[in-house]
Amino acid sequence: MGTISDSRNENEIHRKLIGNKHPKFLPSQPPLKKRKIRANRSSDPWQERFQDLIRFHIRHGHCLVPCTYPEDTTLARWVKRQRYEYKQLLKKQQQSRENGGLKKPSTSSTMNAERIKMLESIGFVWDS
């Protein structure tokens, strides 16, 4: 979070650019919250998390993201979810074999062969 002098400097810059009339930039207003913006992100959340996992792998040399990873709790939950979805896919395939493919399996999964291949290409561990 910025200091009061940082917000005043920010407000002064905005006043010079668009004038004093906009109430958003008057000194009596609290400083604007800064949002974390990630550049060059795709619109696919799965791909975004996969890129986060690749960065984790580069930094740590493995894909074993702890369940309680304080630096990126979203990534930790996503990794746990991928393992769950993989297990659901295996159950679905097993059910399909057991009923000869005649009956629709009761479990569903967002995991697919392409995602499995992508995760395994960076050393993802399914059981941990």
mmCIF file of all heavy atoms in Angstrom, residues 102-121:
data_model
loop_
_atom_site.group_PDB
_atom_site.id
_atom_site.type_symbol
_atom_site.label_atom_id
_atom_site.label_comp_id
_atom_site.label_asym_id
_atom_site.label_seq_id
_atom_site.Cartn_x
_atom_site.Cartn_y
_atom_site.Cartn_z
ATOM 1 N N LEU A 102 -22.097 -49.086 -22.475
ATOM 2 C CA LEU A 102 -23.520 -48.958 -22.762
ATOM 3 C C LEU A 102 -24.199 -47.878 -21.926
ATOM 4 O O LEU A 102 -25.131 -47.235 -22.371
ATOM 5 C CB LEU A 102 -24.229 -50.297 -22.531
ATOM 6 C CG LEU A 102 -23.724 -51.466 -23.383
ATOM 7 C CD1 LEU A 102 -24.402 -52.744 -22.948
ATOM 8 C CD2 LEU A 102 -23.980 -51.181 -24.861
ATOM 9 N N LYS A 103 -23.741 -47.721 -20.713
ATOM 10 C CA LYS A 103 -24.365 -46.784 -19.794
ATOM 11 C C LYS A 103 -23.431 -45.597 -19.568
ATOM 12 O O LYS A 103 -22.212 -45.764 -19.467
ATOM 13 C CB LYS A 103 -24.605 -47.523 -18.474
ATOM 14 C CG LYS A 103 -25.518 -46.845 -17.512
ATOM 15 C CD LYS A 103 -25.880 -47.823 -16.406
ATOM 16 C CE LYS A 103 -25.708 -47.156 -15.077
ATOM 17 N NZ LYS A 103 -25.929 -48.060 -13.976
ATOM 18 N N LYS A 104 -23.999 -44.396 -19.493
ATOM 19 C CA LYS A 104 -23.192 -43.203 -19.259
ATOM 20 C C LYS A 104 -22.631 -43.244 -17.836
ATOM 21 O O LYS A 104 -23.365 -43.478 -16.877
ATOM 22 C CB LYS A 104 -24.045 -41.947 -19.447
ATOM 23 C CG LYS A 104 -23.256 -40.680 -19.382
ATOM 24 C CD LYS A 104 -24.129 -39.474 -19.674
ATOM 25 C CE LYS A 104 -23.299 -38.227 -19.555
ATOM 26 N NZ LYS A 104 -24.067 -37.028 -19.820
ATOM 27 N N PRO A 105 -21.305 -43.012 -17.667
ATOM 28 C CA PRO A 105 -20.707 -43.023 -16.330
ATOM 29 C C PRO A 105 -21.299 -41.921 -15.446
ATOM 30 O O PRO A 105 -21.654 -40.851 -15.932
ATOM 31 C CB PRO A 105 -19.223 -42.758 -16.593
ATOM 32 C CG PRO A 105 -19.016 -43.044 -18.037
ATOM 33 C CD PRO A 105 -20.317 -42.790 -18.709
ATOM 34 N N SER A 106 -21.379 -42.190 -14.154
ATOM 35 C CA SER A 106 -21.965 -41.229 -13.221
ATOM 36 C C SER A 106 -20.996 -40.110 -12.849
ATOM 37 O O SER A 106 -21.417 -39.082 -12.333
ATOM 38 C CB SER A 106 -22.429 -41.955 -11.954
ATOM 39 O OG SER A 106 -21.327 -42.577 -11.331
ATOM 40 N N THR A 107 -19.708 -40.299 -13.075
ATOM 41 C CA THR A 107 -18.742 -39.258 -12.745
ATOM 42 C C THR A 107 -18.351 -38.493 -14.002
ATOM 43 O O THR A 107 -18.371 -39.025 -15.104
ATOM 44 C CB THR A 107 -17.466 -39.854 -12.110
ATOM 45 O OG1 THR A 107 -16.878 -40.753 -13.040
ATOM 46 C CG2 THR A 107 -17.766 -40.567 -10.821
ATOM 47 N N SER A 108 -18.015 -37.231 -13.814
ATOM 48 C CA SER A 108 -17.545 -36.420 -14.934
ATOM 49 C C SER A 108 -16.233 -35.752 -14.544
ATOM 50 O O SER A 108 -15.897 -35.654 -13.373
ATOM 51 C CB SER A 108 -18.592 -35.373 -15.311
ATOM 52 O OG SER A 108 -18.772 -34.487 -14.239
ATOM 53 N N SER A 109 -15.508 -35.284 -15.541
ATOM 54 C CA SER A 109 -14.216 -34.668 -15.291
ATOM 55 C C SER A 109 -13.921 -33.630 -16.365
ATOM 56 O O SER A 109 -14.297 -33.787 -17.514
ATOM 57 C CB SER A 109 -13.120 -35.740 -15.305
ATOM 58 O OG SER A 109 -11.849 -35.134 -15.221
ATOM 59 N N THR A 110 -13.226 -32.577 -15.962
ATOM 60 C CA THR A 110 -12.770 -31.574 -16.926
ATOM 61 C C THR A 110 -11.393 -31.932 -17.481
ATOM 62 O O THR A 110 -10.892 -31.256 -18.361
ATOM 63 C CB THR A 110 -12.698 -30.177 -16.285
ATOM 64 O OG1 THR A 110 -11.792 -30.221 -15.184
ATOM 65 C CG2 THR A 110 -14.065 -29.711 -15.809
ATOM 66 N N MET A 111 -10.816 -32.999 -16.959
ATOM 67 C CA MET A 111 -9.495 -33.442 -17.430
ATOM 68 C C MET A 111 -9.654 -34.132 -18.768
ATOM 69 O O MET A 111 -10.630 -34.831 -19.011
ATOM 70 C CB MET A 111 -8.884 -34.398 -16.388
ATOM 71 C CG MET A 111 -7.454 -34.806 -16.664
ATOM 72 S SD MET A 111 -6.280 -33.443 -16.812
ATOM 73 C CE MET A 111 -6.381 -32.702 -15.203
ATOM 74 N N ASN A 112 -8.656 -33.931 -19.638
ATOM 75 C CA ASN A 112 -8.662 -34.607 -20.936
ATOM 76 C C ASN A 112 -7.237 -34.997 -21.309
ATOM 77 O O ASN A 112 -6.278 -34.640 -20.611
ATOM 78 C CB ASN A 112 -9.312 -33.728 -22.015
ATOM 79 C CG ASN A 112 -8.602 -32.403 -22.199
ATOM 80 O OD1 ASN A 112 -7.384 -32.319 -22.214
ATOM 81 N ND2 ASN A 112 -9.381 -31.337 -22.349
ATOM 82 N N ALA A 113 -7.092 -35.740 -22.397
ATOM 83 C CA ALA A 113 -5.786 -36.265 -22.802
ATOM 84 C C ALA A 113 -4.777 -35.147 -23.078
ATOM 85 O O ALA A 113 -3.605 -35.268 -22.725
ATOM 86 C CB ALA A 113 -5.942 -37.149 -24.038
ATOM 87 N N GLU A 114 -5.235 -34.061 -23.678
ATOM 88 C CA GLU A 114 -4.330 -32.947 -23.982
ATOM 89 C C GLU A 114 -3.770 -32.325 -22.699
ATOM 90 O O GLU A 114 -2.573 -32.062 -22.593
ATOM 91 C CB GLU A 114 -5.062 -31.882 -24.797
ATOM 92 C CG GLU A 114 -4.185 -30.698 -25.156
ATOM 93 C CD GLU A 114 -4.950 -29.613 -25.886
ATOM 94 O OE1 GLU A 114 -6.155 -29.779 -26.163
ATOM 95 O OE2 GLU A 114 -4.337 -28.574 -26.170
ATOM 96 N N ARG A 115 -4.631 -32.107 -21.724
ATOM 97 C CA ARG A 115 -4.182 -31.528 -20.451
ATOM 98 C C ARG A 115 -3.243 -32.468 -19.714
ATOM 99 O O ARG A 115 -2.247 -32.032 -19.129
ATOM 100 C CB ARG A 115 -5.389 -31.173 -19.580
ATOM 101 C CG ARG A 115 -6.155 -29.991 -20.117
ATOM 102 C CD ARG A 115 -7.348 -29.664 -19.261
ATOM 103 N NE ARG A 115 -7.994 -28.440 -19.742
ATOM 104 C CZ ARG A 115 -9.056 -27.896 -19.181
ATOM 105 N NH1 ARG A 115 -9.619 -28.463 -18.125
ATOM 106 N NH2 ARG A 115 -9.576 -26.790 -19.663
ATOM 107 N N ILE A 116 -3.553 -33.758 -19.749
ATOM 108 C CA ILE A 116 -2.678 -34.744 -19.104
ATOM 109 C C ILE A 116 -1.293 -34.685 -19.733
ATOM 110 O O ILE A 116 -0.284 -34.637 -19.034
ATOM 111 C CB ILE A 116 -3.272 -36.164 -19.211
ATOM 112 C CG1 ILE A 116 -4.539 -36.262 -18.355
ATOM 113 C CG2 ILE A 116 -2.256 -37.217 -18.800
ATOM 114 C CD1 ILE A 116 -5.346 -37.522 -18.592
ATOM 115 N N LYS A 117 -1.249 -34.665 -21.045
ATOM 116 C CA LYS A 117 0.025 -34.610 -21.766
ATOM 117 C C LYS A 117 0.804 -33.340 -21.408
ATOM 118 O O LYS A 117 2.010 -33.397 -21.165
ATOM 119 C CB LYS A 117 -0.235 -34.674 -23.271
ATOM 120 C CG LYS A 117 1.004 -34.769 -24.105
ATOM 121 C CD LYS A 117 0.652 -34.928 -25.577
ATOM 122 C CE LYS A 117 1.919 -35.024 -26.413
ATOM 123 N NZ LYS A 117 1.619 -35.196 -27.830
ATOM 124 N N MET A 118 0.125 -32.214 -21.350
ATOM 125 C CA MET A 118 0.779 -30.946 -21.014
ATOM 126 C C MET A 118 1.356 -30.990 -19.600
ATOM 127 O O MET A 118 2.501 -30.590 -19.371
ATOM 128 C CB MET A 118 -0.208 -29.783 -21.146
ATOM 129 C CG MET A 118 -0.593 -29.475 -22.576
ATOM 130 S SD MET A 118 -1.923 -28.264 -22.696
ATOM 131 C CE MET A 118 -1.090 -26.786 -22.125
ATOM 132 N N LEU A 119 0.557 -31.483 -18.642
ATOM 133 C CA LEU A 119 1.020 -31.550 -17.259
ATOM 134 C C LEU A 119 2.185 -32.523 -17.102
ATOM 135 O O LEU A 119 3.174 -32.220 -16.435
ATOM 136 C CB LEU A 119 -0.139 -31.929 -16.333
ATOM 137 C CG LEU A 119 -1.189 -30.840 -16.138
ATOM 138 C CD1 LEU A 119 -2.468 -31.414 -15.547
ATOM 139 C CD2 LEU A 119 -0.639 -29.721 -15.285
ATOM 140 N N GLU A 120 2.075 -33.678 -17.744
ATOM 141 C CA GLU A 120 3.153 -34.663 -17.638
ATOM 142 C C GLU A 120 4.432 -34.185 -18.326
ATOM 143 O O GLU A 120 5.533 -34.572 -17.922
ATOM 144 C CB GLU A 120 2.694 -36.009 -18.203
ATOM 145 C CG GLU A 120 1.688 -36.681 -17.279
ATOM 146 C CD GLU A 120 1.148 -37.993 -17.789
ATOM 147 O OE1 GLU A 120 1.324 -38.303 -18.995
ATOM 148 O OE2 GLU A 120 0.523 -38.725 -16.997
ATOM 149 N N SER A 121 4.307 -33.313 -19.315
ATOM 150 C CA SER A 121 5.498 -32.828 -20.033
ATOM 151 C C SER A 121 6.387 -31.968 -19.136
ATOM 152 O O SER A 121 7.571 -31.818 -19.417
ATOM 153 C CB SER A 121 5.079 -32.026 -21.268
ATOM 154 O OG SER A 121 4.560 -30.768 -20.906
#
